[in-house]
Amino acid sequence: MNRKSFKGYAYLAPVLVIMLVFTAYPLVKAIFMSFCENYSIINGSYKGINLENYKDLFDDKLFIRALGNTTLYVAFVVPLSVVISLIIANLLNSHIKFQGLFQTLYFLPYVTSVIAIGVVWRWIMNSNYGLLNYILGFFGVEPIGWLSDPKYSMTSLIIFAVWKSLAFNIMIFLAALQGISPDLYAAARVDSTPRLRVFFKITVPAMMPIIAYAFIMGIINAFKVYNEVFSLFNSKAGPVNNEAITIVYYIYDQFYNNYKYGIAAAGSVVLFLLIMLFTMIQRLPGRIKAKKEAAQK
Amino acid sequence: MKMRRFMALAMATVMGASLLTACGGGSGSGSGSETTTTAAATTAAETTAAAASGETEAAETEAAAAEKSIEPTTITFWHGMNNKQEQSLTELTDKFNAENEYGITVELVNQGSYSDLQTKLMANAAADTLPDIAQAYNNYFTDYVDKVVALDDFVANDYPDWDDILESYRTENSEYGKITGVPFNKSTYLFFYNKTMFDELGLEAPKTWEDLEHIGEVILAEKGLAAIGYDSMCDMLEAALRQHGEQYVDASGALFNTAGGLETLEFIMNLYNSGYARLVGEDNYFSDSLSNGMIGGYVGSSTGVSYISTDIEGKEFELGVCPVVGDKTNAAYNAGTNIVMFAKDENNQKAAWEYMKFMTSKESTIKWAMDTGYLPIRTSAYESDEYQEFMAGDITAQAAYEQAPYGFVSKASFTGSNEIRNVVSTTLNELITEKADAQTALDTLIAEINDVLQ
């Protein structure tokens, strides 16, 4: 190693040490723990190294339910959130009155504690005196037990989560919208292009990178959902018996409430693999495109 | 330009909000938000000075104290008390800090709710950074009981009247085969009911299972309401089994796979399947339902009484409180934590013990009970003029006193006890939602419990 590169490594050292201690070590440790039967976090003892935790994990109907719920959550929350935020961001970007006020309003959910929002939504969705049922009442809809009827648990969670995740997407979309050259719109106006066509032919293509980013981040975050469940159902995972349990909630529950550290670790390894898989799939189209472009050149 | 201002505002709000939420506690995400309450308005220096000046309080402590030598030190106490409970705890601790002769300062650290406290204790047990003392239920430390200091020697040599502490609490604290703690904030489950509604319908406070069924029948027929609710399903089941002369669970598994167990579940499932009782649903506790006239009565913690409002406009009612019903025998579920010691340093252990003695003294437990609605832990405290006078004006305390002789504490000193609590509650919820029959309910519960312990 020459002196120049040594200096470079010296500069990198602090961050490398932090990464090793707080990212790499826990990752390796969690993977190790997941293979230890009856692992004890207190003294590090275990019965043997085998696949027992994974067997228990996939035998547990609660984990299977958590997998299903999380998939459902990702499948609905991410696309809905991206589409709705795209529409709202466009509306906010047009010349409306009180633009600043609206921008702030839509951003509020992002900066408010999920726990606080959960309290409000528990009231909105209360079956007896909630706002949502009150409004639905005008349309002749019978009161729905959003938070008390197991049938609606996932629906309520998804509605809550979509609303919660709008804020961040709207913010990044607004930033992207400001970056689109006004010339394109001016040209479209000269040709008197219909607004919908402008949206799909100019706005959306120009925003494609940021929409892809929103999707990737959205999916990663959605797989890790925990706070939303915890706050909406008031520190439970559903009204009756864990109807809205998600993978991270399951991991937390096994670790902190049931003291089954090995199973919790196995659950987190499965989650890690799932997220990795989905992220790789998502990056596939981009890579193929890049390859094609390279081939054309 | 506008965008930049918006971003600036957004950033400022983010920072503001994160500051706010940092104090919010209550989040289970393990974000590590800790609100440190420096109980000691007095500094260590001041206390030492007070001790040095030879105050007369020294005379109160027994002769043994004279030989004891404790260096001035600071003890950390993790607790989960909030609102007026925290206030009373702070007052007591301030008093201890000011008056103890050794220069001991106890620093209170609020860890949020019980579940936050439980989580943090476990994480710190793994990291070997436990506080000197903490509030804890026995099921918190099934996995690290060896880190809990055995108090047997302290109790034997330096605790004047251990037998004055109620037996069920002494039993609870000796469950692990050593004395693991001293009882602290103790409560019991009582039946709270809408006395106005009961009077109107000619109903009396229930004493037996049959009374409860009768009340359920009448209130359902006359008011179209459920008459009974249970804040804690697993505690309800254990209490009902004991009332019927059955046993619940131990380390080997479920013990109620018996004829009596089936009868108990017949009683429980009948209450729910007939509509006499209902689940708490989206509210976490029944106190709101009772306040709003949406249920006839419920079984909940004696400390929950402060959450019942009897004066909501148009829904005013008189509150009734009575002991929980009995069947073949009486059994009332006692809840509440103990103070356990983790201190490793010998001096800190001695200092912590001084504090534990102080907190469980007759004087302290009376003040604590009168301030917070928790129950005194000593017979002498119950019998004191001060508490008797307080009790005369407090129907909740009266009912709690009435059932004190048959109070029990759930056995929790085995691996899986905490998981069983959760599993039994959720399974019962599910069975009730599905309107299962008693036999199915019994079989499912037994299977689920044994599955945890296998």
Side-chain angles (χ1 to χ4, degrees), chain B residues 13-25:
Chain B
T13 332
V14 170
M15 285 157 73
S18 59
L19 275 175
L20 277 176
T21 50
C23 308

Side-chain angles (χ1 to χ4, degrees), chain B residues 110-413:
Chain B
N110 183 324
Q111 296 291 10
S113 67
Y114 278 163
S115 63
D116 297 332
L117 176 67
Q118 178 190 0
T119 305
K120 283 172 187 163
L121 283 174
M122 199 208 76
N124 284 279
D128 211 13
T129 49
L130 285 162
D132 294 307
I133 47 175
Q135 264 185 305
Y137 273 107
N138 278 355
N139 62 16
Y140 287 10
F141 50 84
T142 47
D143 276 21
Y144 50 95
V145 65
D146 49 332
K147 290 187 190 275
V148 178
V149 178
L151 303 173
D152 301 63
D153 286 348
F154 280 118
V155 170
N157 302 327
D158 188 16
Y159 201 93
D161 40 10
W162 185 244
D163 290 346
D164 188 29
I165 290 175
L166 297 189
E167 198 194 341
S168 63
Y169 302 145
R170 274 182 282 139
T171 314
E172 182 194 9
N173 281 294
S174 315
E175 245 186 67
Y176 281 95
K178 64 180 188 186
I179 298 175
T180 49
V182 293
F184 176 46
N185 60 323
K186 292 299 184 180
S187 59
T188 188
Y189 283 95
L190 295 167
F191 187 66
F192 296 95
Y193 61 98
N194 185 327
K195 192 162 187 302
T196 311
M197 187 192 289
F198 273 49
D199 288 347
E200 182 194 326
L201 301 173
L203 296 168
E204 301 258 325
K207 287 195 169 60
T208 63
W209 284 10
E210 288 75 35
D211 291 351
L212 215 50
E213 283 165 339
H214 174 66
I215 286 168
E217 208 177 331
V218 173
I219 291 184
L220 183 65
E222 300 292 325
K223 298 277 175 187
L225 286 177
I228 308 141
Y230 294 92
D231 273 348
S232 166
M233 297 305 284
C234 54
D235 298 341
M236 178 274 285
L237 177 65
E238 178 165 7
L241 284 165
R242 283 174 182 255
Q243 286 155 9
H244 203 63
E246 295 294 316
Q247 286 178 296
Y248 179 49
V249 172
D250 70 7
S252 67
L255 303 171
F256 56 97
N257 200 358
T258 56
L262 183 62
E263 283 158 23
T264 309
L265 276 153
E266 271 163 4
F267 164 70
I268 293 169
M269 296 314 287
N270 177 44
L271 284 184
Y272 284 96
N273 291 345
S274 314
Y276 303 160
R278 70 164 169 90
L279 293 171
V280 70
E282 61 220 290
D283 303 324
N284 253 18
Y285 300 100
F286 277 105
S287 40
D288 285 346
S289 304
L290 187 67
S291 304
N292 284 295
M294 282 154 59
I295 196 159
Y298 76 95
V299 176
S301 165
S302 52
T303 46
V305 66
S306 56
Y307 296 99
I308 302 172
S309 322
T310 53
D311 53 359
I312 294 177
E313 214 182 324
K315 294 168 183 166
E316 295 89 348
F317 68 98
E318 190 192 338
L319 178 69
V321 188
C322 68
V324 294
V325 296
D327 188 49
K328 286 182 178 168
T329 171
N330 282 315
Y333 195 103
N334 287 345
T337 68
N338 309 302
I339 304 180
V340 298
M341 195 195 288
F342 300 110
K344 285 180 176 161
D345 177 77
E346 199 182 327
N347 188 54
N348 278 10
Q349 289 184 354
K350 283 185 195 163
W353 183 248
E354 289 302 312
Y355 180 68
M356 286 158 92
K357 276 198 300 186
F358 171 82
M359 291 304 280
T360 52
S361 69
K362 180 180 165 189
E363 213 173 65
S364 300
T365 194
I366 293 173
K367 175 184 159 50
W368 175 244
M370 290 181 9
D371 283 355
T372 60
Y374 282 114
L375 305 174
I377 54 154
R378 285 171 173 275
T379 316
S380 63
Y382 266 118
E383 286 165 355
S384 68
D385 293 344
E386 208 181 349
Y387 191 73
Q388 288 288 336
E389 201 174 299
F390 163 79
M391 209 164 69
D394 189 307
I395 48 172
T396 311
Q398 282 166 28
Y401 183 61
E402 209 177 311
Q403 71 177 26
Y406 46 87
F408 71 89
V409 177
S410 184
K411 195 167 164 61
S413 57

Side-chain angles (χ1 to χ4, degrees), chain A residues 39-43 56 61 65 96 99-100 102-105 107-108 110-116 122 125-129 144-148 150 171 174-175 178 226-227 230 233-236 239-243 252-261, chain B residues 1-3 6-7 9-11 13-14 17-18 21 25-30 115-116 118-120 122-123 125-127 139-144 146-147 279-284 288 292 294 416 418-420 422 425-427 429-431 433 448 451-452 454:
Chain A
Y39 185 83
S40 163
I41 194 89
I42 308 297
N43 49 26
D56 285 350
K61 56 184 192 294
R65 190 189 295 166
I96 51 165
Q99 195 184 13
F102 281 114
Q103 285 179 346
T104 314
L105 276 183
F107 195 63
L108 272 179
Y110 188 67
V111 295
T112 313
S113 151
V114 191
I115 303 298
R122 278 209 299 281
M125 289 184 157
N126 189 292
S127 57
N128 294 313
Y129 40 81
I144 295 171
W146 293 105
L147 302 177
S148 55
M171 187 187 66
L174 262 177
Q178 317 261 319
Y226 166 81
N227 280 339
F230 185 89
F233 293 101
N234 209 351
S235 67
K236 287 186 288 189
V240 174
N241 185 358
N242 299 305
E243 286 76 16
Y252 177 87
D253 204 37
Q254 289 290 7
F255 194 92
Y256 282 110
N257 293 328
N258 300 342
Y259 312 141
K260 292 191 169 156
Y261 316 107
Chain B
M1 186 61 205
K2 251 184 184 155
M3 194 60 206
F6 170 56
M7 290 295 287
L9 176 67
M11 287 308 292
T13 332
V14 170
S18 59
T21 50
S27 87
S29 57
S115 63
D116 297 332
Q118 178 190 0
T119 305
K120 283 172 187 163
M122 199 208 76
N139 62 16
Y140 287 10
F141 50 84
T142 47
D143 276 21
Y144 50 95
D146 49 332
K147 290 187 190 275
L279 293 171
V280 70
E282 61 220 290
D283 303 324
N284 253 18
D288 285 346
N292 284 295
M294 282 154 59
N418 200 46
E419 190 177 357
I420 286 176
N422 299 330
S425 290
T426 53
T427 308
N429 279 343
E430 196 167 28
L431 290 164
T433 310
E448 291 284 348
D451 194 42
V452 170
Q454 61 160 350

Side-chain angles (χ1 to χ4, degrees), chain A residues 70-129:
Chain A
T70 310
T71 315
L72 197 71
Y73 180 92
V74 172
F76 278 91
V77 172
V78 180
L80 277 175
S81 170
V82 167
V83 170
I84 297 174
S85 357
L86 200 56
I87 296 169
I88 295 177
N90 268 284
L91 292 177
L92 283 178
N93 198 41
S94 55
H95 298 283
I96 51 165
K97 274 186 184 169
F98 308 116
Q99 195 184 13
L101 177 74
F102 281 114
Q103 285 179 346
T104 314
L105 276 183
Y106 278 102
F107 195 63
L108 272 179
Y110 188 67
V111 295
T112 313
S113 151
V114 191
I115 303 298
I117 295 175
V119 173
V120 176
W121 276 80
R122 278 209 299 281
W123 170 71
I124 292 178
M125 289 184 157
N126 189 292
S127 57
N128 294 313
Y129 40 81

Side-chain angles (χ1 to χ4, degrees), chain A residues 286-297:
Chain A
R287 284 204 180 159
I288 293 169
K289 203 176 149 198
K291 255 186 197 161
K292 264 187 193 162
E293 274 166 13
Q296 274 165 7
K297 276 173 196 168

